[in-house]
Amino acid sequence: MTTKILVINGPNLNLLGTRQPEIYGQATLTDVEQLLAERAASRGLQADCRQSNHEGEIVDWIQEARGGHAGIIINAGGFSHTSVAIPDALQGVALPVIEIHVSNIYKREAFRHHSRISPAAIGVIAGFGIAGYGLAIEALAAVLEEAG
Ligand code: CA2
């Protein structure tokens, strides 16, 4: 059976490719999900891609991941800077987590410089556009291989 990983995109990431291309690029969320599916398959993984604008739904998905997913890639969008519940859920589920941001959050407004997700993550990828999702797959695949 193929190893499944959960990929969560948070609030407003459904708008990728529709506005602010100078920050987030031209690619749409559908493009991102295609990239993820292809890169995951190349590493023998299956990407289960979801997007939600609702914090509680994201918490539910993280809790449910314990059953059938080997790891989590998350771009929590604006919740990265505000949420307590999402990092609590990530700590609680005890799966390997890679955090990703499309933009370089450290080059932007000060309120984006701190992510509450990062302490629950193995590592963070930021600023490489949607290519960062591919890098996140590589990072998670390496972690899973290392863990055997
Ligand atoms: O750079 C990232 O990936 C972010 O997680 C994106 C979030 C932002 O709040 C974080 O600080 C950094 C926002 C996602 C909104 O995406 C849009 C895309 C196109 C048009 C409007 C919003």
Side-chain angles (χ1 to χ4, degrees):
M1 211 173 65
T2 320
T3 303
K4 266 208 303 193
I5 57 168
L6 179 60
V7 182
I8 298 175
N9 277 298
N12 296 309
L13 285 153
N14 54 314
L15 299 177
L16 276 177
T18 66
R19 287 187 288 120
Q20 297 186 270
E22 67 289 357
I23 299 175
Y24 299 114
Q26 311 265 4
T28 64
L29 184 61
T30 304
D31 296 329
V32 169
E33 292 180 350
Q34 191 173 335
L35 179 159
L36 282 159
E38 285 169 8
R39 189 66 70 91
S42 79
R43 300 301 306 246
L45 301 171
Q46 185 190 334
D48 175 5
C49 300
R50 307 185 193 177
Q51 188 276 329
S52 179
N53 294 326
H54 305 281
E55 189 174 19
E57 187 168 39
I58 293 172
V59 168
D60 287 344
W61 289 340
I62 293 167
Q63 290 186 9
E64 288 159 16
R66 206 194 326 237
H69 297 82
I72 299 174
I73 293 171
I74 184 164
N75 182 347
F79 288 149
S80 311
H81 317 295
T82 61
S83 180
V84 172
I86 293 173
D88 279 351
L90 290 170
Q91 300 276 12
V93 83
L95 289 171
V97 174
I98 309 292
E99 177 182 6
I100 187 247
H101 298 282
V102 176
S103 64
N104 180 351
I105 54 176
Y106 304 102
K107 239 169 54 172
R108 301 184 62 194
E109 305 95 318
F111 71 86
R112 296 185 202 274
H113 295 179
H114 183 256
S115 166
R116 290 184 167 180
I117 306 297
S118 302
I122 292 175
V124 183
I125 293 162
F128 296 99
I130 71 158
Y133 288 93
L135 300 173
I137 293 277
E138 297 299 333
L140 186 53
V143 167
L144 294 174
E145 262 170 37
E146 180 79 22

mmCIF file of all heavy atoms in Angstrom, residues 10-21 23-24 75-81 100-105 108 111-112 133, ligand 1:
data_model
loop_
_atom_site.group_PDB
_atom_site.id
_atom_site.type_symbol
_atom_site.label_atom_id
_atom_site.label_comp_id
_atom_site.label_asym_id
_atom_site.label_seq_id
_atom_site.Cartn_x
_atom_site.Cartn_y
_atom_site.Cartn_z
ATOM 1 N N GLY A 10 -4.136 26.335 4.283
ATOM 2 C CA GLY A 10 -5.078 27.053 5.132
ATOM 3 C C GLY A 10 -5.778 28.205 4.427
ATOM 4 O O GLY A 10 -5.861 28.234 3.189
ATOM 5 N N PRO A 11 -6.263 29.162 5.219
ATOM 6 C CA PRO A 11 -7.147 30.197 4.712
ATOM 7 C C PRO A 11 -6.567 31.016 3.563
ATOM 8 O O PRO A 11 -5.401 31.407 3.597
ATOM 9 C CB PRO A 11 -7.423 31.082 5.927
ATOM 10 C CG PRO A 11 -6.403 30.712 6.926
ATOM 11 C CD PRO A 11 -6.008 29.300 6.651
ATOM 12 N N ASN A 12 -7.414 31.224 2.586
ATOM 13 C CA ASN A 12 -7.160 32.087 1.427
ATOM 14 C C ASN A 12 -6.213 31.494 0.391
ATOM 15 O O ASN A 12 -6.014 32.080 -0.675
ATOM 16 C CB ASN A 12 -6.670 33.479 1.869
ATOM 17 C CG ASN A 12 -7.724 34.205 2.657
ATOM 18 O OD1 ASN A 12 -8.875 34.301 2.216
ATOM 19 N ND2 ASN A 12 -7.377 34.695 3.842
ATOM 20 N N LEU A 13 -5.640 30.342 0.683
ATOM 21 C CA LEU A 13 -4.741 29.742 -0.307
ATOM 22 C C LEU A 13 -5.507 29.211 -1.510
ATOM 23 O O LEU A 13 -4.920 28.948 -2.563
ATOM 24 C CB LEU A 13 -3.840 28.700 0.346
ATOM 25 C CG LEU A 13 -2.750 29.406 1.171
ATOM 26 C CD1 LEU A 13 -2.251 28.551 2.302
ATOM 27 C CD2 LEU A 13 -1.590 29.865 0.285
ATOM 28 N N ASN A 14 -6.824 29.101 -1.393
ATOM 29 C CA ASN A 14 -7.664 28.795 -2.569
ATOM 30 C C ASN A 14 -7.627 29.948 -3.578
ATOM 31 O O ASN A 14 -8.018 29.775 -4.731
ATOM 32 C CB ASN A 14 -9.109 28.498 -2.143
ATOM 33 C CG ASN A 14 -9.719 29.597 -1.298
ATOM 34 O OD1 ASN A 14 -9.069 30.072 -0.370
ATOM 35 N ND2 ASN A 14 -10.920 30.005 -1.607
ATOM 36 N N LEU A 15 -7.123 31.122 -3.150
ATOM 37 C CA LEU A 15 -7.055 32.291 -4.045
ATOM 38 C C LEU A 15 -5.736 32.375 -4.816
ATOM 39 O O LEU A 15 -5.552 33.295 -5.618
ATOM 40 C CB LEU A 15 -7.241 33.583 -3.233
ATOM 41 C CG LEU A 15 -8.579 33.724 -2.497
ATOM 42 C CD1 LEU A 15 -8.588 35.010 -1.679
ATOM 43 C CD2 LEU A 15 -9.735 33.708 -3.486
ATOM 44 N N LEU A 16 -4.852 31.436 -4.570
ATOM 45 C CA LEU A 16 -3.561 31.463 -5.281
ATOM 46 C C LEU A 16 -3.786 31.610 -6.783
ATOM 47 O O LEU A 16 -4.660 30.952 -7.366
ATOM 48 C CB LEU A 16 -2.785 30.165 -5.039
ATOM 49 C CG LEU A 16 -1.944 30.043 -3.777
ATOM 50 C CD1 LEU A 16 -1.332 28.655 -3.705
ATOM 51 C CD2 LEU A 16 -0.880 31.113 -3.689
ATOM 52 N N GLY A 17 -2.998 32.468 -7.405
ATOM 53 C CA GLY A 17 -3.080 32.649 -8.854
ATOM 54 C C GLY A 17 -4.162 33.602 -9.306
ATOM 55 O O GLY A 17 -4.276 33.888 -10.498
ATOM 56 N N THR A 18 -4.961 34.106 -8.363
ATOM 57 C CA THR A 18 -6.041 35.014 -8.752
ATOM 58 C C THR A 18 -5.714 36.474 -8.438
ATOM 59 O O THR A 18 -6.222 37.363 -9.111
ATOM 60 C CB THR A 18 -7.366 34.661 -8.046
ATOM 61 O OG1 THR A 18 -7.219 34.887 -6.637
ATOM 62 C CG2 THR A 18 -7.753 33.214 -8.301
ATOM 63 N N ARG A 19 -4.912 36.703 -7.364
ATOM 64 C CA ARG A 19 -4.525 38.061 -6.984
ATOM 65 C C ARG A 19 -3.122 38.034 -6.381
ATOM 66 O O ARG A 19 -2.597 36.979 -6.093
ATOM 67 C CB ARG A 19 -5.519 38.616 -5.935
ATOM 68 C CG ARG A 19 -6.863 38.977 -6.537
ATOM 69 C CD ARG A 19 -7.761 39.681 -5.527
ATOM 70 N NE ARG A 19 -8.256 38.784 -4.513
ATOM 71 C CZ ARG A 19 -8.046 38.906 -3.197
ATOM 72 N NH1 ARG A 19 -7.327 39.891 -2.724
ATOM 73 N NH2 ARG A 19 -8.547 38.042 -2.352
ATOM 74 N N GLN A 20 -2.542 39.237 -6.201
ATOM 75 C CA GLN A 20 -1.213 39.403 -5.604
ATOM 76 C C GLN A 20 -0.147 38.464 -6.215
ATOM 77 O O GLN A 20 0.599 37.813 -5.486
ATOM 78 C CB GLN A 20 -1.297 39.180 -4.089
ATOM 79 C CG GLN A 20 -2.172 40.207 -3.403
ATOM 80 C CD GLN A 20 -2.123 40.073 -1.887
ATOM 81 O OE1 GLN A 20 -2.916 39.355 -1.291
ATOM 82 N NE2 GLN A 20 -1.187 40.751 -1.285
ATOM 83 N N PRO A 21 -0.061 38.411 -7.573
ATOM 84 C CA PRO A 21 0.943 37.523 -8.183
ATOM 85 C C PRO A 21 2.372 37.925 -7.837
ATOM 86 O O PRO A 21 3.281 37.087 -7.866
ATOM 87 C CB PRO A 21 0.663 37.656 -9.687
ATOM 88 C CG PRO A 21 -0.069 38.937 -9.847
ATOM 89 C CD PRO A 21 -0.851 39.139 -8.572
ATOM 90 N N ILE A 23 3.487 38.579 -5.033
ATOM 91 C CA ILE A 23 3.857 37.917 -3.762
ATOM 92 C C ILE A 23 3.758 36.400 -3.899
ATOM 93 O O ILE A 23 4.649 35.666 -3.477
ATOM 94 C CB ILE A 23 2.939 38.381 -2.606
ATOM 95 C CG1 ILE A 23 3.070 39.890 -2.384
ATOM 96 C CG2 ILE A 23 3.290 37.636 -1.304
ATOM 97 C CD1 ILE A 23 2.109 40.455 -1.351
ATOM 98 N N TYR A 24 2.656 35.936 -4.499
ATOM 99 C CA TYR A 24 2.365 34.500 -4.460
ATOM 100 C C TYR A 24 2.533 33.801 -5.818
ATOM 101 O O TYR A 24 2.360 32.588 -5.902
ATOM 102 C CB TYR A 24 0.944 34.277 -3.931
ATOM 103 C CG TYR A 24 0.750 34.792 -2.521
ATOM 104 C CD1 TYR A 24 -0.110 35.858 -2.243
ATOM 105 C CD2 TYR A 24 1.453 34.223 -1.460
ATOM 106 C CE1 TYR A 24 -0.275 36.336 -0.952
ATOM 107 C CE2 TYR A 24 1.307 34.700 -0.174
ATOM 108 C CZ TYR A 24 0.435 35.753 0.075
ATOM 109 O OH TYR A 24 0.291 36.219 1.355
ATOM 110 N N ASN A 75 0.744 24.486 5.123
ATOM 111 C CA ASN A 75 0.823 25.943 4.987
ATOM 112 C C ASN A 75 -0.438 26.457 5.655
ATOM 113 O O ASN A 75 -1.526 26.405 5.073
ATOM 114 C CB ASN A 75 0.865 26.368 3.521
ATOM 115 C CG ASN A 75 1.001 27.876 3.370
ATOM 116 O OD1 ASN A 75 0.829 28.617 4.341
ATOM 117 N ND2 ASN A 75 1.285 28.333 2.155
ATOM 118 N N ALA A 76 -0.297 26.915 6.880
ATOM 119 C CA ALA A 76 -1.471 27.325 7.655
ATOM 120 C C ALA A 76 -1.926 28.743 7.310
ATOM 121 O O ALA A 76 -2.825 29.277 7.974
ATOM 122 C CB ALA A 76 -1.192 27.186 9.152
ATOM 123 N N GLY A 77 -1.318 29.352 6.278
ATOM 124 C CA GLY A 77 -1.726 30.694 5.852
ATOM 125 C C GLY A 77 -1.670 31.656 7.035
ATOM 126 O O GLY A 77 -0.755 31.597 7.865
ATOM 127 N N GLY A 78 -2.647 32.531 7.127
ATOM 128 C CA GLY A 78 -2.688 33.531 8.200
ATOM 129 C C GLY A 78 -2.762 32.918 9.589
ATOM 130 O O GLY A 78 -2.304 33.533 10.580
ATOM 131 N N PHE A 79 -3.293 31.698 9.707
ATOM 132 C CA PHE A 79 -3.360 31.031 11.019
ATOM 133 C C PHE A 79 -1.971 30.725 11.568
ATOM 134 O O PHE A 79 -1.816 30.493 12.768
ATOM 135 C CB PHE A 79 -4.156 29.723 10.925
ATOM 136 C CG PHE A 79 -5.646 29.880 10.735
ATOM 137 C CD1 PHE A 79 -6.367 28.938 10.025
ATOM 138 C CD2 PHE A 79 -6.337 30.955 11.295
ATOM 139 C CE1 PHE A 79 -7.747 29.061 9.842
ATOM 140 C CE2 PHE A 79 -7.720 31.090 11.120
ATOM 141 C CZ PHE A 79 -8.427 30.144 10.400
ATOM 142 N N SER A 80 -0.965 30.720 10.668
ATOM 143 C CA SER A 80 0.411 30.461 11.118
ATOM 144 C C SER A 80 0.822 31.454 12.202
ATOM 145 O O SER A 80 1.608 31.126 13.094
ATOM 146 C CB SER A 80 1.399 30.608 9.955
ATOM 147 O OG SER A 80 0.971 29.892 8.827
ATOM 148 N N HIS A 81 0.297 32.659 12.113
ATOM 149 C CA HIS A 81 0.738 33.739 13.003
ATOM 150 C C HIS A 81 -0.190 33.932 14.202
ATOM 151 O O HIS A 81 0.109 34.736 15.086
ATOM 152 C CB HIS A 81 0.822 35.052 12.202
ATOM 153 C CG HIS A 81 1.445 34.877 10.854
ATOM 154 N ND1 HIS A 81 2.763 34.496 10.712
ATOM 155 C CD2 HIS A 81 0.946 34.981 9.590
ATOM 156 C CE1 HIS A 81 3.038 34.387 9.409
ATOM 157 N NE2 HIS A 81 1.946 34.670 8.713
ATOM 158 N N ILE A 100 5.396 25.006 5.421
ATOM 159 C CA ILE A 100 5.793 25.661 4.173
ATOM 160 C C ILE A 100 5.033 26.965 4.015
ATOM 161 O O ILE A 100 3.870 27.084 4.419
ATOM 162 C CB ILE A 100 5.580 24.705 2.953
ATOM 163 C CG1 ILE A 100 6.146 25.324 1.692
ATOM 164 C CG2 ILE A 100 4.201 24.163 2.845
ATOM 165 C CD1 ILE A 100 5.223 25.729 0.631
ATOM 166 N N HIS A 101 5.735 27.970 3.468
ATOM 167 C CA HIS A 101 5.115 29.236 3.060
ATOM 168 C C HIS A 101 5.563 29.551 1.641
ATOM 169 O O HIS A 101 6.762 29.397 1.321
ATOM 170 C CB HIS A 101 5.507 30.375 3.999
ATOM 171 C CG HIS A 101 5.036 30.132 5.388
ATOM 172 N ND1 HIS A 101 3.729 30.330 5.771
ATOM 173 C CD2 HIS A 101 5.676 29.640 6.467
ATOM 174 C CE1 HIS A 101 3.589 29.976 7.023
ATOM 175 N NE2 HIS A 101 4.757 29.554 7.479
ATOM 176 N N VAL A 102 4.642 30.015 0.831
ATOM 177 C CA VAL A 102 4.961 30.368 -0.553
ATOM 178 C C VAL A 102 5.899 31.574 -0.570
ATOM 179 O O VAL A 102 6.899 31.594 -1.296
ATOM 180 C CB VAL A 102 3.669 30.680 -1.336
ATOM 181 C CG1 VAL A 102 3.981 31.154 -2.747
ATOM 182 C CG2 VAL A 102 2.746 29.444 -1.368
ATOM 183 N N SER A 103 5.573 32.563 0.236
ATOM 184 C CA SER A 103 6.376 33.795 0.279
ATOM 185 C C SER A 103 7.433 33.686 1.383
ATOM 186 O O SER A 103 7.337 32.835 2.272
ATOM 187 C CB SER A 103 5.472 35.004 0.537
ATOM 188 O OG SER A 103 4.867 34.904 1.816
ATOM 189 N N ASN A 104 8.425 34.587 1.309
ATOM 190 C CA ASN A 104 9.420 34.675 2.385
ATOM 191 C C ASN A 104 8.827 35.557 3.481
ATOM 192 O O ASN A 104 8.873 36.789 3.398
ATOM 193 C CB ASN A 104 10.723 35.265 1.847
ATOM 194 C CG ASN A 104 11.776 35.375 2.931
ATOM 195 O OD1 ASN A 104 11.495 35.168 4.115
ATOM 196 N ND2 ASN A 104 12.991 35.699 2.539
ATOM 197 N N ILE A 105 8.275 34.930 4.500
ATOM 198 C CA ILE A 105 7.546 35.680 5.545
ATOM 199 C C ILE A 105 8.469 36.646 6.298
ATOM 200 O O ILE A 105 7.988 37.623 6.862
ATOM 201 C CB ILE A 105 6.822 34.726 6.533
ATOM 202 C CG1 ILE A 105 7.775 33.705 7.139
ATOM 203 C CG2 ILE A 105 5.655 34.012 5.830
ATOM 204 C CD1 ILE A 105 7.122 32.801 8.200
ATOM 205 N N ARG A 108 8.615 40.253 4.843
ATOM 206 C CA ARG A 108 7.318 40.934 4.764
ATOM 207 C C ARG A 108 7.017 41.674 6.070
ATOM 208 O O ARG A 108 7.932 41.966 6.845
ATOM 209 C CB ARG A 108 6.254 39.900 4.396
ATOM 210 C CG ARG A 108 6.558 39.218 3.049
ATOM 211 C CD ARG A 108 5.474 38.282 2.627
ATOM 212 N NE ARG A 108 4.208 38.979 2.416
ATOM 213 C CZ ARG A 108 3.039 38.370 2.294
ATOM 214 N NH1 ARG A 108 2.963 37.051 2.366
ATOM 215 N NH2 ARG A 108 1.942 39.068 2.107
ATOM 216 N N PHE A 111 4.414 41.334 11.491
ATOM 217 C CA PHE A 111 3.491 40.368 12.102
ATOM 218 C C PHE A 111 3.578 38.992 11.451
ATOM 219 O O PHE A 111 3.099 38.007 12.020
ATOM 220 C CB PHE A 111 2.036 40.881 12.104
ATOM 221 C CG PHE A 111 1.361 40.928 10.754
ATOM 222 C CD1 PHE A 111 0.723 39.806 10.240
ATOM 223 C CD2 PHE A 111 1.355 42.098 10.002
ATOM 224 C CE1 PHE A 111 0.085 39.840 9.008
ATOM 225 C CE2 PHE A 111 0.741 42.137 8.762
ATOM 226 C CZ PHE A 111 0.107 41.019 8.255
ATOM 227 N N ARG A 112 4.231 38.917 10.271
ATOM 228 C CA ARG A 112 4.384 37.614 9.617
ATOM 229 C C ARG A 112 5.697 36.925 9.984
ATOM 230 O O ARG A 112 5.966 35.805 9.575
ATOM 231 C CB ARG A 112 4.328 37.770 8.082
ATOM 232 C CG ARG A 112 3.006 38.263 7.565
ATOM 233 C CD ARG A 112 2.992 38.267 6.040
ATOM 234 N NE ARG A 112 1.988 39.189 5.539
ATOM 235 C CZ ARG A 112 0.702 38.891 5.360
ATOM 236 N NH1 ARG A 112 0.255 37.681 5.630
ATOM 237 N NH2 ARG A 112 -0.143 39.798 4.907
ATOM 238 N N TYR A 133 6.520 23.546 -2.206
ATOM 239 C CA TYR A 133 5.743 22.338 -1.894
ATOM 240 C C TYR A 133 6.506 21.079 -2.336
ATOM 241 O O TYR A 133 6.464 20.058 -1.658
ATOM 242 C CB TYR A 133 4.364 22.399 -2.556
ATOM 243 C CG TYR A 133 3.415 23.406 -1.912
ATOM 244 C CD1 TYR A 133 3.316 24.710 -2.400
ATOM 245 C CD2 TYR A 133 2.637 23.041 -0.826
ATOM 246 C CE1 TYR A 133 2.462 25.631 -1.815
ATOM 247 C CE2 TYR A 133 1.775 23.954 -0.234
ATOM 248 C CZ TYR A 133 1.689 25.255 -0.732
ATOM 249 O OH TYR A 133 0.853 26.159 -0.150
HETATM 250 O O1 CA2 B 1 3.452 32.804 2.104
HETATM 251 C C1 CA2 B 1 2.586 32.032 2.499
HETATM 252 O O2 CA2 B 1 2.412 30.905 2.031
HETATM 253 C C2 CA2 B 1 1.600 32.503 3.578
HETATM 254 O O3 CA2 B 1 1.332 31.389 4.432
HETATM 255 C C3 CA2 B 1 0.337 32.918 2.847
HETATM 256 C C4 CA2 B 1 -0.711 33.526 3.766
HETATM 257 C C5 CA2 B 1 -0.121 34.625 4.636
HETATM 258 O O4 CA2 B 1 -1.080 35.084 5.569
HETATM 259 C C6 CA2 B 1 1.115 34.156 5.382
HETATM 260 O O5 CA2 B 1 1.648 35.225 6.112
HETATM 261 C C7 CA2 B 1 2.159 33.621 4.427
HETATM 262 C C8 CA2 B 1 -1.862 34.152 2.961
HETATM 263 C C9 CA2 B 1 -2.432 33.289 1.904
HETATM 264 C C10 CA2 B 1 -3.282 34.161 1.034
HETATM 265 O O6 CA2 B 1 -3.024 33.807 -0.295
HETATM 266 C C11 CA2 B 1 -3.524 34.611 -1.274
HETATM 267 C C12 CA2 B 1 -3.132 34.296 -2.540
HETATM 268 C C13 CA2 B 1 -3.567 35.069 -3.588
HETATM 269 C C14 CA2 B 1 -4.411 36.147 -3.358
HETATM 270 C C15 CA2 B 1 -4.796 36.470 -2.095
HETATM 271 C C16 CA2 B 1 -4.351 35.683 -1.032
#
